[in-house]
Amino acid sequence: MAITQTRTAHLQAIDAAHHIHPFCDPKSLAERGTRVITKADGCYVEDSDGNRILDGMAGLWCVNVGYGRQELVDVAARQMEELPFYNSFFQSSTPSQIALAERLSKITPGDLNHFFFANSGSEANDTVIRMARHYWHLKGKPEKYKFIGRHLGYHGSTLAATSLGGMKHMHDMGSSTLPGFEHIMEPHWFAHGGNLSPEQFALRAAQALEDKILEIGADNIAAFIGEPIQGAGGVISPPPGYWPEIERICRKHDILFVSDEVICGFGRLGEWFGCQYYGVQPDIMPMAKGMSSGYLPISAVAFSDRIFETLNEGGPISHGYTYSGHPVSCAVAHANIDIIEREGLVERVRNDIGPYLQSGLAHLYERHSIIGEVRGAQALAGLQLVRSRDTREPFAAEDNAAMICRDICLEKGLIMRAVGQAMVICPPLTITHAEIDEMIDKADAGLREAASRLGLD
């Protein structure tokens, strides 16, 4: 397009005049000017000034197979020529939609064999809410409608998904919450564990779920939802034993167990899905992002045989989206899964790239006392920035420690994300050892400069 050839300043002015960005302060962004990304290849993006930047966030937690995959472009073009769109209403389906549903049934764990398609993680989790409540209605228990999530949980930004999540700043924007949603503590040992061992804290954090169930009454609760590792909350990885105990509590009280795999799915943790990494089996499983590696919008919700049998006998399902199972998105997602499988990216993360990245991050921890904790697993990580590692003293919010570090790293050619007072990393699963070395070197320099600016010389 001709507009990409104009000056950066002109693009920034147009952007400020007409484009409302998500999750930012529009006034300060307009004053600073947006970064205009024009190209991408492999693990790198390029901006309108020609700067080549290592993308340590895989776009937005999603470009699992890397940028520039001509195979996905070609698949999209062929599908658009053959059938650019048809809906899944009117008792209709398309070959690419049918093929993707079958393919997903082969890689999802246990009896998660039935799939409802949507276009984003937010829509997938709206679907979770409606379908879970519908399920309990059909079971003759309409009073089971409440959901339990976790503080700092993120499940999307529609009104329902915002309510499902536990992000206070999102709840506070126009009082954006609906009734019927409760939240318990996040399983962050470094922040809340005190003198408990990680294993002791895991049981305490899981007990918070049972305490909430007993407070509300199991007969009033439809489901518990959680991300295997809380991504947007700061890459909060639970201590050993947490997830099996959560699953046990859900089974004990006849509450549906939902594993939100929007970030952790499709190889991120060295398994096809994060619940497999932690050895648990959900009843419902929303997924998105890595499903198409972000090349086109698509998401899905997987349902167990048990739930589908009830839905199947319950009459019409009055729920759906115009673009549910868009034929082009389905074709691209199917081809994306082909790439992940053919190139062994799941196994590569488990046996090679994940351990190599975690080793590099451990090296950063040894070199920088500003890092209080390295958390996460395999190709997903968070670095907690602290004023004192020994006392776990955090930075004050006004210190803007993570934002300072983020901006320094970007100046040095590395995209990391600032979440609270943590730096988070989620690179493409195709990243090489040399690119991980580059990431660690640039993060090393960024952390050193950030510590200096924050008075930690």
Side-chain angles (χ1 to χ4, degrees):
M1 294 177 63
I3 192 170
T4 62
Q5 300 172 2
T6 62
R7 294 181 302 111
T8 296
H10 183 54
L11 290 172
Q12 290 172 330
I14 296 172
D15 184 82
H18 302 292
H19 182 196
I20 301 175
H21 287 252
F23 289 93
C24 78
D25 177 353
K27 182 178 180 181
S28 64
L29 179 62
E31 291 170 352
R32 186 175 68 251
T34 187
R35 182 176 296 274
V36 182
I37 302 298
T38 58
K39 299 178 183 177
D41 182 63
C43 294
Y44 295 86
V45 297
E46 185 176 316
D47 68 17
S48 54
D49 292 324
N51 296 306
R52 183 171 161 85
I53 309 164
L54 179 58
D55 184 4
M57 281 304 300
L60 195 61
W61 321 86
C62 58
V63 189
N64 287 14
V65 301
Y67 298 100
R69 291 286 191 155
Q70 187 62 41
E71 177 180 345
L72 300 185
V73 177
D74 293 343
V75 165
R78 286 196 299 271
Q79 182 61 56
M80 291 190 78
E81 290 173 352
E82 184 174 309
L83 179 66
F85 173 73
Y86 199 71
N87 66 80
S88 55
F89 291 51
F90 313 140
Q91 297 79 51
S92 299
S93 194
T94 66
S96 63
Q97 183 183 88
I98 294 167
L100 179 58
E102 181 185 35
R103 186 64 176 280
L104 289 172
S105 73
K106 295 177 179 178
I107 63 172
T108 48
D111 64 344
L112 294 169
N113 293 314
H114 313 275
F115 304 89
F116 186 97
F117 291 113
N119 308 288
S120 67
S122 298
E123 287 186 0
N125 280 316
D126 275 24
T127 298
V128 167
I129 295 166
R130 295 201 67 198
M131 292 293 209
R133 288 175 171 171
H134 182 50
Y135 168 81
W136 287 117
H137 270 262
L138 295 175
K139 299 291 284 186
K141 299 180 179 181
E143 68 279 2
K144 286 177 72 71
Y145 75 97
K146 291 189 176 183
F147 280 76
I148 299 177
R150 298 179 296 179
H151 298 306
L152 297 181
Y154 182 84
H155 304 292
S157 58
T158 60
L159 184 56
T162 294
S163 303
L164 189 60
M167 296 289 191
K168 185 177 183 302
H169 65 285
M170 295 177 69
H171 294 170
D172 290 345
M173 194 186 90
S175 301
S176 296
T177 54
L178 297 171
F181 298 91
E182 303 283 345
H183 301 90
I184 60 172
M185 69 181 299
E186 72 279 15
H188 188 184
W189 172 82
F190 188 83
H192 306 304
N195 295 323
L196 297 175
S197 70
E199 292 77 12
Q200 290 171 328
F201 175 71
L203 296 179
R204 175 191 159 197
Q207 183 60 43
L209 173 59
E210 188 151 42
D211 292 344
K212 182 62 73 171
I213 292 170
L214 295 175
E215 173 191 331
I216 299 171
D219 290 342
N220 298 313
I221 301 169
F224 168 81
I225 186 170
E227 307 149 85
I229 293 178
Q230 292 178 245
V235 184
I236 298 171
S237 50
Y242 174 80
W243 277 118
E245 183 66 5
I246 288 289
E247 183 181 18
R248 184 193 69 80
I249 291 168
C250 288
R251 304 296 178 221
K252 174 183 174 182
H253 294 283
D254 195 22
I255 291 169
L256 297 178
F257 172 31
V258 184
S259 181
D260 184 336
E261 298 281 353
V262 170
I263 287 175
C264 293
F266 300 95
R268 179 60 55 188
L269 302 186
E271 301 286 349
W272 276 103
F273 296 94
C275 59
Q276 295 168 297
Y277 180 82
Y278 288 105
V280 292
Q281 177 64 45
D283 301 298
I284 303 174
M285 197 172 75
M287 61 192 80
K289 293 190 183 292
M291 186 172 171
S292 70
S293 287
Y295 277 62
L296 281 175
I298 189 169
S299 64
V301 182
F303 296 93
S304 70
D305 290 344
R306 173 173 69 99
I307 292 176
F308 178 73
E309 287 168 6
T310 298
L311 298 177
N312 195 46
E313 298 297 327
I317 294 174
S318 300
H319 176 71
Y321 309 100
T322 298
Y323 303 114
S324 290
H326 191 289
V328 183
S329 296
C330 285
V332 169
H334 196 287
N336 176 72
I337 294 170
D338 281 344
I339 292 172
I340 294 172
E341 195 166 65
R342 184 175 67 244
E343 298 184 3
L345 294 183
V346 175
E347 296 78 12
R348 185 170 184 263
V349 170
R350 182 194 311 140
N351 301 320
D352 180 17
I353 292 304
Y356 192 78
L357 174 61
Q358 293 298 324
S359 176
L361 296 173
H363 177 68
L364 289 180
Y365 178 82
E366 293 172 359
R367 289 175 58 87
H368 298 280
S369 61
I370 193 175
I371 301 175
E373 175 193 37
V374 177
R375 54 182 181 261
Q378 302 291 26
L380 182 61
L383 308 177
Q384 185 67 48
L385 304 187
V386 294
R387 188 164 290 282
S388 170
R389 180 188 292 174
D390 292 338
T391 63
R392 302 187 195 174
E393 179 188 354
F395 284 101
E398 57 268 22
D399 290 329
N400 291 317
M403 298 289 279
I404 289 170
C405 187
R406 179 204 66 182
D407 291 346
I408 293 170
C409 288
L410 188 54
E411 291 169 4
K412 297 180 183 301
L414 171 64
I415 294 173
M416 297 174 72
R417 184 174 176 182
V419 178
Q421 298 304 321
M423 301 297 298
V424 301
I425 301 169
C426 180
L429 307 186
T430 54
I431 193 168
T432 66
H433 283 210
E435 289 164 342
I436 290 175
D437 291 342
E438 178 186 348
M439 178 187 296
I440 297 300
D441 288 345
K442 289 180 174 178
D444 183 37
L447 288 160
R448 186 182 308 110
E449 187 172 333
S452 177
R453 289 194 195 180
L454 292 161
L456 297 181
D457 292 305

